[in-house]
Amino acid sequence: MLYDVARLEEKMLAAELRGRAELELVHLPSQPLRLGEPPGGGVDAALVRAISLYRAVSSAAVAESWGAAVVNPPVPLMAAGDKLLTQALLERRGIPTPRALVAYTPEAAVEAAGELGYPVVFKPTVGSWGRLAALAGDGEAVRSIAEHREALGGPYKVHYLQEYVRKPGRDLRVICVGGRAVAAAYRVSPGGWLTNAARGARSIPARLDGEAEELAVGACEAVGVEVAGVDLVEDPERGYLVLEVNGVPEFKSLTSATGVNVAASIAEHVVWRARV
Amino acid sequence: MEVDDDALPGELVEHDCGVVLEVHRGPNGSITLKPFEGVEEDWGE
């Protein structure tokens, strides 16, 4: 298992993997990785659990050079880590998502927002736990946010604007492993418009219906991930829309809310991948 | 400070005044604690 921070999720995964196979823990900040030279003389499968997107993608690439089955592989991890790439792959597959526009200048961002209608969601393409996501109420706010992002430079200069979905104060997190949905929970907002667990959203168990399951599994296939946390929102008119596909999903709150042993499902899948 | 025996390298331990330390293990399994570098922009799910 390749990881950077040992959260409760990584401890649970380590325990489940130890019970099924010989486990090598690779703490990425502590040691270099050698391309083509697996640690311990050989690795059949590698589970990537780095919180940092770039550590996850690069360590997954190194693990592929070892000839290991990598969960998740580097290209799908990158696609899942970039919200714009994810949405493009979902759109291509015909999976419903919130309407979105991309702009490359503050002026074009204001035009895009006007087309989507206010309030509008202004997200960084790479970023997590809702950081730097903004809800803009008018063109002045959009221009101001865009100008600040231009000053930040790099990927922040890609202005990714999404329609604001009037969801019922919650979203649905579905954990998918190996082509099936294994658990689901609603994440209920404590009051704001964001429903990230890291922002204080509360997890409550959800009964997964066929439509949500089909969309979540289809989203994983579109992005190419084997293990993921898929976030869906309920639009009052269009039904479920897929918001995000997380390639290194957190599942602590969901496990505690539903009682489903997500770590065991992931460990079983990784061991299976090592054998096929 | 108390650190669990089963602590993994990379596990975070909170100390007084909000200081967060990261568990590291030496070749003989000995535990050392280093200040945690913090959350970067590309961190998270």
Side-chain angles (χ1 to χ4, degrees):
Chain A
M1 181 166 78
L2 306 160
Y3 70 102
D4 47 14
V5 176
R7 300 164 292 178
L8 190 54
E9 282 91 345
E10 283 68 40
K11 293 195 80 166
M12 292 158 85
L13 286 164
E16 294 293 342
L17 286 164
R18 270 200 194 97
R20 291 168 171 81
E22 193 181 329
L23 174 66
E24 180 90 26
L25 288 173
V26 179
H27 180 227
L28 298 171
S30 299
Q31 60 195 97
L33 301 181
R34 293 168 181 82
L35 281 132
E37 295 177 44
V43 173
D44 295 317
L47 174 62
V48 180
R49 288 292 307 176
I51 304 179
S52 153
L53 171 64
Y54 297 109
R55 282 180 180 171
V57 171
S58 56
S59 62
V62 174
E64 283 203 329
S65 81
W66 300 335
V70 183
V71 180
N72 288 306
V75 173
L77 268 180
M78 189 67 229
D82 184 309
K83 296 174 177 64
L84 175 53
L85 291 184
T86 302
Q87 186 164 3
L89 290 167
L90 297 176
E91 290 286 341
R92 184 178 168 149
R93 180 137 177 161
I95 291 173
T97 60
R99 195 156 172 255
L101 277 81
V102 178
Y104 299 99
T105 60
E107 293 72 26
V110 172
E111 188 182 332
E115 196 176 318
L116 289 167
Y118 292 100
V120 69
V121 177
F122 205 149
K123 288 179 175 178
T125 55
V126 172
S128 305
W129 299 324
R131 289 192 309 265
L132 292 183
L135 188 63
D138 56 35
E140 276 309 304
V142 168
R143 180 181 300 280
S144 172
I145 294 164
E147 285 175 355
H148 278 86
R149 298 228 164 132
E150 295 269 326
L152 288 171
Y156 296 108
K157 294 174 81 167
V158 176
H159 303 302
Y160 174 46
L161 295 103
Q162 221 174 37
E163 70 170 304
Y164 174 64
V165 178
R166 296 185 189 282
K167 58 189 177 188
R170 67 184 188 188
D171 69 7
L172 179 63
R173 158 62 61 96
V174 183
I175 298 284
C176 296
V177 180
R180 65 189 183 94
V182 299
Y186 290 117
R187 302 187 306 178
V188 181
S189 161
W193 66 283
L194 290 167
T195 42
N196 304 77
R199 294 297 185 101
R202 193 164 45 89
S203 286
I204 56 172
R207 191 181 172 87
L208 200 55
D209 61 59
E211 187 195 350
E213 182 167 5
E214 193 179 321
L215 279 179
V217 170
C220 291
E221 286 171 4
V223 176
V225 286
E226 299 168 34
V227 170
V230 181
D231 297 338
L232 297 98
V233 285
E234 299 153 280
D235 180 86
E237 285 157 15
R238 290 169 292 176
Y240 291 116
L241 306 174
V242 177
L243 265 192
E244 289 185 19
V245 177
N246 299 286
V248 183
E250 293 172 346
F251 51 81
K252 178 180 59 190
S253 309
L254 186 142
T255 294
S256 139
T258 62
V260 175
N261 190 343
V262 172
S265 295
I266 296 173
E268 269 168 28
H269 177 72
V270 172
V271 170
W272 175 77
R273 288 282 277 111
R275 290 184 184 140
V276 294
Chain B
M1 280 191 65
E2 282 189 20
V3 178
D4 293 340
D5 289 341
D6 66 347
L8 299 181
E11 198 164 324
L12 302 182
V13 183
E14 218 166 303
H15 193 36
D16 294 342
C17 304
V19 172
V20 179
L21 301 166
E22 187 178 35
V23 172
H24 286 256
R25 283 194 181 264
N28 58 357
S30 62
I31 288 177
T32 53
L33 295 171
K34 296 181 182 175
F36 177 56
E37 66 180 61
V39 174
E40 305 288 338
E41 278 313 318
D42 77 320
W43 282 45
E45 60 158 20

